[in-house]
Amino acid sequence: DLRKLLTARRLDLLVVILRHAPNSVTELGRLAGRNLKNVSEDLALLHQLGLVEFIAVEGHGDERAPMVPYDEIDLTIDLQALAEQEVA
């Protein structure tokens, strides 16, 4: 279910990344005021969905910065097709 995947907290992470361009997941967690473990889990899911990418940060060893490669996400759901699937 899409609502379970794109929660308000996950969408907030996308916004924080766009606004602040954090240099690490740790910095993102601090900026979002969230637990690092939960932020990491949410980022992993957002990465699987193709909504977050990670880029190397010069001078920071293996540290990778999260980035959002989009300015907007456009989503269309064909409710009629879903209704017809339920009946079939």
Side-chain angles (χ1 to χ4, degrees), residues 16-67:
V16 171
I17 293 168
L18 283 170
R19 271 193 197 140
H20 301 284
N23 284 321
S24 68
V25 175
T26 302
E27 184 180 355
L28 173 60
R30 183 183 55 73
L31 289 166
R34 294 192 47 204
N35 173 289
L36 181 59
K37 178 181 177 282
N38 294 337
V39 168
S40 294
E41 289 173 356
D42 283 349
L43 283 178
L45 177 67
L46 292 169
H47 180 70
Q48 281 183 316
L49 295 172
L51 299 176
V52 169
E53 295 177 1
F54 294 95
I55 56 174
V57 179
E58 281 190 44
H60 288 269
D62 291 336
E63 194 73 58
R64 297 181 335 153
M67 59 112 26

